[in-house]
Amino acid sequence: MLEPPPDMLEAFKNCIKNLGGTKIKLVIQKFIHVTDLKPSECRLSRTMNQFRSKFLSEAEEEKLENKGVIKAVFVEPCLEVSKLHLTKWLIGQSYAYVFKTEWNHVVSNNADSLKPIALVQIWLFRFMLDRNQILVLP
């Protein structure tokens, strides 16, 4: 793992700025696992202890606790913008945040960069006009 983590690339900063994003925050830096890329799984999951810091508001966390879904705009490595659902699942003995719905589309669009053992960063930012979260996976 790279510590300190590398800065976000300028192309992503510009994309976020063009979307009206603010409050950029790195929430996770991890290696992609084979299961993250399997079409039958159709999800990217990470246990809660893998996140660098708390990134959801209390209301968002409560929504996930009540089996709700948070709709997130997701900037892919290729800079295409997708919509993913963020949920919280009990996997084994621990809880995980799970990005799903269009994950297979993200993997397909970015097959050149999303490979097993690839290091990825997930950044969060917010729209200026509302509190919807945005995630970036460079």
Side-chain angles (χ1 to χ4, degrees):
M1 207 59 53
L2 301 174
E3 290 296 335
D7 286 336
M8 179 183 280
L9 298 173
E10 283 300 315
F12 290 96
K13 289 179 185 177
N14 292 336
C15 184
I16 291 168
K17 183 179 177 184
N18 291 338
L19 290 170
T22 63
K23 300 180 183 177
I24 300 170
K25 179 180 183 178
L26 178 63
V27 293
I28 192 168
Q29 176 178 271
K30 284 292 177 188
F31 294 103
I32 290 284
H33 298 285
V34 174
T35 54
D36 296 327
L37 304 173
K38 284 185 176 179
S40 61
E41 298 291 327
C42 192
R43 63 180 162 85
L44 174 67
S45 63
R46 292 293 178 259
T47 57
M48 294 174 70
N49 66 352
Q50 292 178 314
F51 286 80
R52 300 176 77 83
S53 62
K54 182 180 174 186
F55 67 100
L56 297 174
S57 69
E58 287 184 28
E60 291 166 335
E61 192 62 53
E62 186 176 324
K63 184 174 188 175
L64 294 182
E65 288 290 331
N66 293 319
K67 304 201 184 302
V69 171
I70 296 172
K71 295 178 183 175
V73 175
F74 199 82
V75 180
E76 303 175 23
C78 68
L79 298 176
E80 184 172 315
V81 178
S82 297
K83 293 187 179 174
L84 297 181
H85 289 171
L86 175 63
T87 60
K88 188 175 177 181
W89 292 358
L90 180 62
I91 299 177
Q93 297 289 328
S94 60
Y95 282 95
Y97 291 115
V98 180
F99 302 97
K100 60 181 196 157
T101 306
E102 292 293 323
W103 179 246
N104 284 347
H105 175 78
V106 172
V107 171
S108 175
N109 274 357
N110 299 280
D112 58 330
S113 59
L114 293 179
K115 298 179 180 190
I117 314 175
L119 182 66
V120 296
Q121 295 177 324
I122 297 178
W123 299 76
L124 175 130
F125 67 95
R126 306 267 181 187
F127 282 120
M128 289 189 311
L129 298 177
D130 64 35
R131 295 192 39 83
N132 287 337
Q133 66 183 24
I134 310 285
L135 299 162
V136 179
L137 181 73

